[in-house]
Amino acid sequence: MGKTAAIIGAGIGGLAAALRLRTKGYQVEVYEQAAGPGGKIKEIRMNGFRFDTGPSLFTFPALVDELFSLFGENPGRFFRHQQLDSSCKYFWDDGTTINAWQNPTLFSQEIEQATGAKGDCVLTYLRESKELYDIAGDTFIFHSLHNPSNYFTPSFLKTLLNIWKLDPLRTLHDRNRACLKNPKLVQIFDRYATYNGSSPYKTPSTLRMIAHLEHNTGAHFPRKGMFDIVASLERLAVAKGVKFHYNARVETILTKNSQVQGVRVNGLDYPFNLVLSDVDVVNLYNNLLSGVPLPENQTKQQRSSSAVIFYWGINKAFPNMQLHNILFSNNYRAEFDHLFETRTMSSDPTVYVFISSKIIPEDAPEGMENWYVMVNAPEDTGLNRKILINETRSKILEKIRHTLRIDLTDHIVAEAVADPQSIESETGSYKGSLYGLSSNNIWAAFNRHPNFSSKIKGLYFVGGSVHPGGGIPLCMASAKIIDKEIPSVK
Ligand code: FAD
């Protein structure tokens, strides 16, 4: 029998890692505590509506397509996606709207018409964010920062020689203010800090490379919705011989003499040569590994934000809305002070509305829409859930009434809700944070947990709580990193 690998967790990182280990010749088995794959990428159906419940923005689809190509398969046979014309429509209380067209000329014109600011500054900004990605993306996203040999590669040298262009000592907000000046443009580009659950007033301006992924490589959407990303990867994995065990919570990672031995599930021990975890590392050290303490930096670094999300079936259609919509807070700084300082909910939160039925009509009954309405929330601080949900619901409805001039109350015909506590209980994400550790200081990239254990041989890590961080593209990148770190057994 060949070498065997157990994957704990069928989130996007676990699925990508399972496929990559399979191509390396391992017999792979995935143990997932839930009834199906996806982790944070899930869907629910109610009263004729379908909702993606977690991620909604899909960038860097090439990382998903690549997994099909690794097996010589045509990605389009399993999974199809389309590039969007506009990545988001932004709304402010004063009636201003800006459509972030993917076509740079249209985006620039839209900015000039809506704000009077010169659209050119945004085009320059996007060119610079591409340059930054070209300088630092490979080093920080696709290589382990914990393997010393990676510090002697051409990629690292290129980053080092251009380190000043990363501008890590300035915050994203300060950089945006200096480049873009117009407060509405600054707010649009500050928002990219939230793509990994951080504050633009704390995160280094290096994160402006996220704008490159959304605007230059493009915002996409899967033809059948976000859940199809994981559903199609699971189909591919099954076709290629990966075994899945659902409703199978791993209780312990078995070790002997600092070497992985296997996993214990439902009281039974299963031997494996290698164990790879897609579980939040805090949860993993606290519950699955005995005798190895959680590294201190994992609790010292601030966690990323969480969210409160309402999934509303709406019995009306709103032509003014798009797939992705943002209703901005009037006081963005105060919103982030609430999230990361006082750890309370802002009285005027930025509201995100995602309506997949805009491009997948089957996601809602005819003439109706599926509104996924989300506000950022602090990680779980023990707030009473009922109070948190009721207060947030009222604030959101008020914001929609004020900014969009729509009274939604009487149009909600179906409702479900997610909050920090439900996110933690359903996905094992410590305190319900969406993206593991935040990037709220310049050392964040180095403080994320490595992709391999230096204490236990044969133990590897992928997913949003480890290097290079949260979000679908980075979780996929973590699987690419372990692909380089684990030798082939073919
Ligand atoms: P996870 O999804 O965290 O899955 C881990 C899996 O491990 C779970 O299935 C869990 O059940 C399982 N597990 C845990 N413990 C055990 C155990 N003991 N035994 C067996 N199984 C176990 N990203 C984007 O790119 N774009 C977005 O628009 C976006 N929006 C988001 C909105 C929300 C509301 C949320 C929640 C997340 C969002 N993200 C977004 C982040 C993205 O969803 C995550 O970074 C990513 O899906 C995490 O994947 P993962 O590999 O870390 O695994």
Side-chain angles (χ1 to χ4, degrees), residues 9 158 384 464:
K158 185 173 166 191
N384 178 301

Side-chain angles (χ1 to χ4, degrees), residues 9 13 32-33 39-40 54-57 250 278 309 434-435 463-464 471-472:
E32 166 56 55
Q33 66 183 8
K40 297 185 181 73
S56 52
L57 187 75
V250 172
D278 183 34
I309 310 148
L434 307 188
Y435 305 90
I472 296 171

Side-chain angles (χ1 to χ4, degrees), residues 363-384:
D363 282 356
E366 208 177 330
M368 304 193 190
E369 288 180 343
N370 62 342
W371 283 40
Y372 159 129
V373 185
M374 169 175 142
V375 295
N376 291 317
E379 59 175 20
D380 179 30
T381 52
L383 273 178
N384 178 301

Side-chain angles (χ1 to χ4, degrees), residues 161 186 328 385:
L161 289 174
V186 173
F328 267 124
R385 272 183 88 186

Side-chain angles (χ1 to χ4, degrees), residues 8-14 31-34 36 38-42 53-58 226 248-251 278-279 283 288 307 309 311 372 374 423 426-429 434-435 462-465 470-473 475:
I8 314 175
I12 186 80
Y31 293 89
E32 166 56 55
Q33 66 183 8
K40 297 185 181 73
I41 310 177
K42 282 277 183 357
T53 58
S56 52
L57 187 75
F58 183 40
M226 295 299 285
R249 198 178 82 79
V250 172
E251 289 147 19
D278 183 34
V279 177
N283 175 358
L288 272 67
I309 310 148
Y311 309 99
Y372 159 129
M374 169 175 142
I423 293 169
E426 282 166 27
T427 70
S429 188
L434 307 188
Y435 305 90
V462 291
S465 69
I472 296 171
C475 293

